[in-house]
Every structure is written in C-alpha cells, then in structure tokens.
Amino acid sequence: MGTDMMTIEHLHQEELLSRDELHDLQLKRLRKTLKTASASPHYARTLACIDPEDIRSLDQVRDLPFTTKEDLRRGYPFGFLARDPGQMIRMHASSGTTGSPTAMFYTAGDVSFWADLVARCMHMTGIRAEDTFQNLSGYGLFTGGLGMHYGAERLGCLTIPAGAGNSKRQIKLLKDFKVSCIHIIPSYALHLFSVFRESGLDPRDLNLRIALIGAEPHSEEIRTRIEELSGMKAYNSYGLSEMNGPGVAFECRTQNGMHLWEDAFLAEIIDPKTGNPLPEGQLGELVLTSLNREGMPIVRYRTRDLTRFIPGTCACGREHIRIDRIMGRADDMFILKGVNIYPMQVEQILMSMPEVGQNYLIVLEREGFIDQMRIKVEVRDEFFEEDMRVLKGLAQKITRSLQQEILITPKVDLVEHRSLPRTQGKAERVQDRRK
Ligand code: AMP
Ligand code: ZN
C-alpha cells in the first residue's frame, strides 16, 4: 500500500477498507439513509412502501425510485430536509444556469464529514499539513469554495481563500506566500498561466507542486497542458452540490481514474435512455446515493454526468471503485445533421494541436435550412503572427481532424489569443444559435 494513504490515527480508516468491508458498510448505511430520508416530505411520499429492513443486498437499490434535478426543484426550498431546519448550519446552491434553483442543506455533522472527505482526497494526492494551499475557485453558493477550504484546513494546510478572478492578485499571492498547492477550474488555470507569461513570470519558477482541477469537464489534453505550463502535477477532482460538493471522487497519484468514496456514496452507471444498469466498463450516466448525510440524504440521484467504472484494482492499493474522467453531461450532447456529438470530442482534437491556444467555442447555427457547426479557436500568439498561408493550413488541419472524428465538416475561425469570451466560473463551450 502506498505511503500516501491516511493513517488511521490521522483521519479515515474507511479509505483502507477492502471490497467486502465496503460492501457491508454500504448496506448498513443504505438502510440508515432510507430511514433518515423518509422523514423528508419528498421521500415520505416516494419511499412510502419501502421498508429499509427489507433491503438485504445492494442490488435492491435498483428497486428504489430515482431522484432528478426536477424533483429537487419541485422540492425547493425545504422539501428534502430530513431534519428540522433549525438543525442545519449551511446552505449551498447548484450552479445550474437554467431553470429555478436547487438548495442543499448541511447539519454540523454533514459539514464535518464533508471536510474529512475532502481532506482525504487532498492527502491522497500528496498534500500535507506543511503545504500552503490557495483556493482559486469562487466562494459563496458554489461548493468549490468552502468545500475545498474546509478540507484544506482539516488537513492542517495554511489555506488562502483567494476566490476566483483577479489574476494579477492571484499571482502575487502565489508568489509572496510560496504557495505549493492550488485548487482551480481547468479553463481558468489555462487563462491564469497566460497572464503569468504576460507578466514575464514563469509558474514553473514558483513553489507550486500540486493542482487540484475540477468542477467542469476537461480532456486529458487539457490536463497535460496544465502540467506542462505550470510544472505542477494536476489531479482531477469530481463532485456536485447534490452530493455535498467536491470530494465525491478524486484521482490518486496513479492519475488513472478517480476513486469514488464508496463509504460515502453508492454509485451506479445506467443507460440514460432506459434507466437500466449497464455492464461494468460501459459508458453511461452516473447515479449516486448519499450514504452518510443527515440533513438532506439523496437517493439515486441522476447526475446526468457521463462516465464509466474502470474495471480492475488500482495500482495504489485502494479498493474504492474508480470512475473515468467525465465525458460530458447527458444534456451537453448535441445533434447536428443526425450525428450525436459531445463537446469533449472536439476539445480532445483541438487541444492536441500545439498551435491551438487555451480557449475555443462551438457555435451551432442555421444557414437557410442547413445546420452548421462553427468552431472558433484561439491560436497561440507565435502562430497567429505567421503569414496567412500557415494559418490557412492550420484551419484545414483542424477541419480534417474533426471530419475524421465526428463526421461533420465544421467551419473553423481562427481568432487571436484571449479574444473569446471567458466566464469567471465554469466555461461555456457551446452556443446553440439555431433556436
Ligand atoms: P455544481 O453542483 O454546481 O458544483 O456542479 C456539479 C457538476 O459539475 C457535476 O455534475 C459535473 O457536471 C461538473 N463537474 C464537477 N467536477 C467535474 C470534473 N472533475 N470533471 C467534469 N465535470 C465535473
Ligand atoms: Zn488509486
């Protein structure tokens, strides 16, 4: 077993459990969760005919009803509370850009357990109490701020709550306090490193060693760029507010899939169309049941996130199941000329080309009756200054590669570095102007 496993004295013996032990613990916690959940107005209705004591095997979870984002919206604000509102000490809300909001509540026990989980993740990547940790994600309702913050403090790190944006100030903090570890949204990381360059600084000359990157889908190519530009090791971090926030699944030092903490969550992969379970290794929608939440347990939540279980055990020795990097959301897929396309397929191709800069945007438009895909691609300065022939060649190379991968001939606009709009939080990759 790797020496980066938390020792029992330190925090969590659950990290070290075998599959059999995890299985027993999950069954016990599932029954308890169902009991607790039934106290909420929503589950009092949907779980009315379920007796938790009848649950004898984990497979029986499939007989329970799903919970969807729509259910959470309908239950807004208090319909999922399993305890008196007076017992809650924290609220967060999902970043969902469409529709009405959803709110998540936490008891003191929930906040504490969540901090333990995040500390476990951070420790797994090699972060230690001696590290200085700068959190560059938005604070406020978004869980990436306080969630990572409490985890870092729990681990004992000096924690800098920098928040998102204001790159010049971020760089000053990173430098002045000799920050060694950061948490950052991948699209913002790429932007930050270009601000570094413009200020005549190289992030590789600083004290930085570990970046935790997550909150939005990103390809292996983006990770590689982040690592090369900054000299840090970058670890993928997955979470969602419906399951606390960050700390649901995290990469270990092997960087080969994210361990999903099965003492805290029961995971299924289903066919998003039929809702049926898929065989291990197949790509589908991740469904999660919280196993240790007191204030607001959630049963069989349809995350809409597409991933797969990675078969086999990890070289690190941990037996918690691994999920692959998130391919995108079931809702992200768009259909153009009858072809199903995920933005991630486009990203993988673009980001594998050295000439391509740090940002891109997919625009779906309609010309007459014909649907078109236009891809706006930022080009790195040194290539943008080349003559027209070189740029034309690059546009053709991108078009050809995309044709091969997605069978669609896009229009490619090459644009200058930093000319595409950037959001403070999660990146917007697709604009559908067909409607
Ligand atoms: P929120 O509840 O607002 O924090 O958003 C959670 C959603 O962000 C998840 O359901 C995913 O779609 C996305 N997300 C979070 N972490 C990752 C990650 N590491 N890779 C890809 N998508 C992620
Ligand atoms: Zn591992």
Side-chain angles (χ1 to χ4, degrees):
M1 278 189 186
T3 48
D4 54 332
M5 292 213 182
M6 275 199 170
T7 53
I8 291 165
E9 311 83 88
H10 195 125
L11 271 181
H12 259 279
Q13 43 188 325
E14 282 87 346
E15 185 178 359
L16 313 176
L17 295 181
S18 67
R19 292 231 51 83
D20 283 347
E21 289 166 325
L22 278 171
H23 188 278
D24 291 347
L25 182 64
Q26 285 194 309
L27 194 56
K28 203 172 94 204
R29 288 189 168 170
L30 176 61
R31 288 196 203 109
K32 186 163 167 232
T33 294
L34 295 177
K35 243 180 253 163
T36 316
S38 309
S40 76
H42 175 83
Y43 290 118
R45 249 191 348 270
T46 60
L47 298 179
C49 15
I50 311 266
D51 180 353
E53 292 313 316
D54 289 343
I55 306 277
R56 300 258 160 260
S57 101
L58 288 174
D59 287 345
Q60 283 173 271
V61 75
R62 295 177 194 157
D63 303 331
L64 304 172
F66 288 120
T67 306
T68 63
K69 186 95 181 172
E70 237 354 88
D71 293 327
L72 290 176
R73 287 194 177 122
R74 269 196 297 270
Y76 179 86
F78 299 123
F80 278 80
L81 283 197
R83 288 197 181 179
D84 187 76
Q87 291 186 40
M88 306 296 152
I89 64 155
R90 175 87 69 79
M91 191 207 97
H92 281 287
S94 175
S95 63
T97 41
T98 51
S100 41
T102 55
M104 304 305 301
F105 296 87
Y106 308 68
T107 62
D110 290 331
V111 168
S112 179
F113 181 70
W114 180 21
D116 282 352
L117 275 181
V118 176
R120 191 199 294 181
C121 298
M122 295 174 77
H123 188 273
M124 175 166 70
T125 66
I127 302 179
R128 295 290 178 271
E130 300 73 47
D131 280 297
T132 299
F133 179 81
Q134 186 163 322
N135 190 5
L136 293 86
S137 76
Y139 278 65
L141 292 177
F142 174 52
T143 52
L146 289 176
M148 296 306 289
H149 185 101
Y150 272 59
E153 285 189 352
R154 177 65 49 95
L155 198 52
C157 299
L158 167 62
T159 307
I160 305 179
N166 197 344
S167 303
K168 292 248 155 66
R169 201 186 66 182
Q170 299 282 6
I171 293 172
K172 185 167 167 46
L173 293 170
L174 291 170
K175 202 158 125 268
D176 292 354
F177 297 101
K178 299 191 171 37
V179 170
S180 52
C181 306
I182 64 172
H183 172 235
I184 189 163
I185 292 185
S187 52
Y188 181 54
L190 292 176
H191 173 76
L192 182 73
F193 300 144
S194 42
V195 179
F196 254 104
R197 270 171 65 147
E198 282 155 23
S199 338
L201 281 170
D202 187 337
R204 286 171 296 196
D205 295 337
L206 269 53
N207 199 34
L208 296 165
R209 59 185 202 94
I210 293 177
L212 310 179
I213 54 172
E216 66 183 10
H218 57 283
S219 53
E220 189 61 44
E221 286 74 11
I222 292 260
R223 184 234 295 274
T224 306
R225 279 182 178 222
I226 291 175
E227 292 193 331
E228 283 173 4
L229 288 167
S230 70
M232 285 186 270
K233 274 272 169 210
Y235 295 97
N236 196 353
S237 148
Y238 172 77
L240 61 164
S241 29
E242 291 81 1
M243 297 288 139
N244 298 336
V248 174
F250 229 84
E251 274 182 337
C252 66
R253 290 205 228 184
T254 320
Q255 291 182 308
N256 182 17
M258 297 179 278
H259 287 283
L260 188 143
W261 299 123
E262 291 181 275
D263 54 309
F265 307 98
L266 178 60
E268 304 165 70
I269 302 276
I270 62 160
D271 178 335
K273 287 202 195 81
T274 62
N276 294 330
L278 286 174
E280 194 183 49
Q282 223 161 298
L283 184 79
E285 179 181 345
L286 180 67
V287 172
L288 293 170
T289 299
S290 72
L291 292 179
N292 212 23
R293 296 186 91 193
E294 307 171 329
M296 191 168 166
I298 308 258
V299 179
R300 298 196 86 200
Y301 182 64
R302 294 201 49 167
T303 65
R304 311 299 289 153
D305 292 326
L306 300 171
T307 182
R308 63 183 189 104
F309 289 136
I310 299 181
T313 40
C314 184
C316 76
R318 291 176 187 83
E319 298 196 10
H320 293 258
I321 202 159
R322 284 169 300 157
I323 55 168
D324 209 342
R325 70 174 55 254
I326 307 291
M327 264 301 289
R329 296 176 56 79
D331 339 299
D332 281 348
M333 192 196 75
F334 55 87
I335 302 177
L336 197 78
K337 299 181 180 165
V339 182
N340 296 354
I341 303 166
Y342 287 102
M344 190 60 66
Q345 292 172 287
V346 176
E347 177 174 308
Q348 276 162 350
I349 290 170
L350 294 178
M351 291 297 159
S352 65
M353 298 184 187
E355 301 91 338
V356 169
Q358 317 299 21
N359 205 355
Y360 67 93
L361 180 67
I362 301 168
V363 182
L364 306 176
E365 43 192 29
R366 184 161 288 159
E367 279 177 13
F369 292 104
I370 309 219
D371 285 353
Q372 264 301 344
M373 172 157 76
R374 186 179 292 279
I375 303 185
K376 301 186 179 199
V377 186
E378 284 188 7
V379 178
R380 299 224 333 248
D381 280 345
E382 52 270 43
F383 293 100
F384 205 78
E385 282 148 18
E386 296 279 352
D387 66 37
M388 279 312 289
R389 225 163 15 115
V390 176
L391 285 180
K392 219 166 142 196
L394 173 61
Q396 279 167 353
K397 185 165 92 171
I398 295 175
T399 310
R400 261 199 316 275
S401 309
L402 286 164
Q403 258 169 350
Q404 276 165 12
E405 168 71 15
I406 55 178
L407 313 172
I408 292 275
T409 310
K411 294 197 165 163
V412 175
D413 295 348
L414 300 180
V415 300
E416 234 174 313
H417 170 57
R418 284 178 76 171
S419 59
L420 292 175
R422 251 185 25 85
T423 45
Q424 273 259 316
K426 307 186 186 215
E428 189 197 20
R429 299 302 194 191
V430 184
Q431 273 178 10
D432 197 342
R433 298 187 186 153
R434 294 175 297 179
K435 293 154 195 162

